[in-house]
Amino acid sequence: MPAIGGPSLGFYEDKVLPRLIAWAMRTGELTRYRERLVPRAEGRVLEVGLGSGLNLPWYGRQAERVIGLEPSAELLRRAASLAARAACPVHLLRAAAEAIPLAAASIDTAVMTWTLCSLRDARAGLREVRRVLRPGGALVFVEHGLAPEPGVAAWQHRLDPLWWRVSCHLDNPVERLLAEAGFEFLELRSGYLGAGPKLATFMVEGVARPVP
């Protein structure tokens, strides 16, 4: 299904960055997170930050329908072929996480994989995710963010203004952002990826739900 709506992006964000993202997100280390987390989504699913659709092959029968939210037309174009082969119906929706064009309490499961770092306003994006989740719904997530080691965190803070201009945020405090947005954790794990520099590979994964 074609993407609809969405903001107008500059040349780098619209053409260059999507290709870099599609290439970088194919690593085997990241695939293991997808394999572990994505099949847990059930019911009406919203994937926030669909990217090039690399999660789509991992949705199981318990996912009745997936709405893939992504602001980049180029990434949605790349996702279209995987959407056509998915095990469940997939609707591609061009829109930003900070203004999700869906009704409140209309989603059973939200999925976010390495999405928060790309949002201009992570807090607004998480508030929107909480808004569209039904009571008792779940957020399944894995994100990279602020490391617990003071030395690594200091470099993340130092480099973040430059890193954000060409890629994404390095120093999001993932657990704190989720808690402040009104989520409580059902499962939570964290640790370094094991490959790549520590300043970009501290991962936080788990399952959370909106606080009643």
Side-chain angles (χ1 to χ4, degrees), residues 39-119:
R40 304 185 64 176
E42 59 184 22
R44 193 172 191 225
V45 178
L46 171 67
E47 182 170 337
V48 182
L50 181 72
S52 59
L54 296 178
N55 285 339
L56 292 175
W58 300 106
Y59 286 104
R61 295 179 181 177
Q62 61 270 35
E64 298 172 8
R65 181 188 186 197
V66 175
I67 300 170
L69 187 81
E70 170 59 49
S72 167
E74 173 64 20
L75 286 173
L76 285 176
R77 183 188 67 78
R78 290 169 175 262
S81 61
L82 288 173
R85 301 196 301 271
C88 60
V90 177
H91 174 64
L92 303 182
L93 180 62
R94 190 179 179 202
E98 294 90 340
I100 299 174
L102 298 174
S106 61
I107 295 297
D108 298 304
T109 309
V111 174
M112 298 181 72
T113 58
W114 305 286
T115 300
L116 280 180
C117 64
S118 67
L119 301 186

Side-chain angles (χ1 to χ4, degrees), residues 122-167:
R123 289 174 173 81
L126 286 173
R127 287 195 298 268
E128 277 290 271
V129 172
R130 188 182 189 282
R131 179 185 66 81
V132 300
L133 274 173
R134 66 168 176 80
L139 168 62
V140 179
F141 68 93
V142 56
E143 300 286 348
H144 78 87
L146 187 64
E149 298 176 50
V152 178
W155 274 105
Q156 288 178 310
H157 293 317
R158 194 173 293 127
L159 293 174
D160 186 72
L162 175 62
W163 202 282
W164 166 247
R165 293 180 65 181
V166 297
S167 180

Side-chain angles (χ1 to χ4, degrees), residues 134-203:
R134 66 168 176 80
L139 168 62
V140 179
F141 68 93
V142 56
E143 300 286 348
H144 78 87
L146 187 64
E149 298 176 50
V152 178
W155 274 105
Q156 288 178 310
H157 293 317
R158 194 173 293 127
L159 293 174
D160 186 72
L162 175 62
W163 202 282
W164 166 247
R165 293 180 65 181
V166 297
S167 180
C168 65
H169 283 297
L170 286 172
D171 58 356
N172 277 333
V174 175
E175 293 180 46
R176 191 176 78 205
L177 288 172
L178 284 163
E180 289 175 352
F183 287 93
E184 60 183 1
F185 299 107
L186 302 178
E187 300 176 22
L188 189 65
R189 294 197 299 178
S190 62
Y192 290 102
L193 184 61
K198 282 188 172 183
L199 62 87
T201 60
F202 183 72
M203 302 292 169

